[in-house]
């Protein structure tokens, strides 16, 4: 892993590197890494974009942006958790997006996963809509089971 110069949080040259990985995978991002970084600066530790595949499907593409060990460990942990949840029977396999591909370049890690069809419950820690009692109970059970791992 190449670390950024002192004072830089974002991996130098990561946007074009991400674009090369996406091109190799045949993905067309809705928001390029360059546009994403221009908008958020160094405030996000990872890049995410909805992408179209060659086959016309939609996937989510994630890549690590921050050049530090903590961000790398968190990103690799997310990949490991996604792999773990998909290998186990319900409830995890039914509610966790499927990890489709993952990899590592000399400078960063990346993965693709299923893109959720349903809108998220909320963003920025604010609930945008109220889940039904059934959905809330299912979320609570799943979170409790995750906590028991």
């Amino acid at each position: 892993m190449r670390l950024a110069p002192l004072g830089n949080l974002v991996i130098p040259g990561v946007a074009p590197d991400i674009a090369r990985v996406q091109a190799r995978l045949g993905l067309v991002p809705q928001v390029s890494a360059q546009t994403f970084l221009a908008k958020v600066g160094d405030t996000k530790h990872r890049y995410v974009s909805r992408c179209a595949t060659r086959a016309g499907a939609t996937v989510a593409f994630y890549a690590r942006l921050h050049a530090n060990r903590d961000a790398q460990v968190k990103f690799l942990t997310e990949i490991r958790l996604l792999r773990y949840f998909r290998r186990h029977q319900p409830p995890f396999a039914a509610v966790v997006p499927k990890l489709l591909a993952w990899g590592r370049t000399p400078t960063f890690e990346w993965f693709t996963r299923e893109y959720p069809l349903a809108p998220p419950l909320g963003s920025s820690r604010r609930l945008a809509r109220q889940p039904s009692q059934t959905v809330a109970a299912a979320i609570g059970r799943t979170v409790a089971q995750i906590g028991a791992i």
Side-chain angles (χ1 to χ4, degrees):
M1 175 182 81
R2 181 177 74 212
L3 289 178
L6 191 61
N8 290 344
L9 287 178
V10 176
I11 299 165
V14 73
D17 289 347
I18 289 171
R20 281 189 283 280
V21 169
Q22 289 172 324
R24 184 172 44 83
L25 296 171
L27 301 177
V28 178
Q30 188 176 49
V31 177
S32 72
Q34 184 174 350
T35 300
F36 183 88
L37 283 167
K39 182 176 179 180
V40 303
D42 63 4
T43 63
K44 300 290 183 184
H45 69 278
R46 67 183 186 169
Y47 158 75
V48 62
S49 181
R50 178 180 179 167
C51 294
T53 68
R54 288 183 186 122
T58 300
V59 300
F61 179 91
Y62 292 81
R64 180 174 58 86
L65 296 175
H66 280 189
N68 62 59
R69 183 78 176 134
D70 181 60
Q72 183 182 43
V73 167
K74 287 177 182 176
F75 199 86
L76 292 172
T77 299
E78 184 171 359
I79 293 171
R80 277 194 300 279
L81 285 172
L82 285 170
R83 291 177 66 200
Y84 174 85
F85 291 149
R86 291 307 293 187
R87 285 193 308 266
H88 291 80
Q89 294 303 315
F92 307 126
V95 296
V96 175
K98 182 179 179 184
L99 182 65
L100 303 172
W102 65 95
R104 208 174 208 167
T105 74
T107 54
F108 69 96
E109 300 78 33
W110 59 269
F111 68 88
T112 60
R113 67 165 177 80
E114 291 175 315
Y115 189 82
L117 300 176
L121 287 174
S123 60
S124 300
R125 295 188 172 102
R126 288 190 319 240
L127 206 56
R129 61 186 175 99
Q130 291 292 328
S132 69
Q133 286 184 340
T134 304
V135 169
I139 291 170
R141 282 190 304 275
T142 302
V143 168
Q145 290 171 330
I146 290 171
I149 294 175

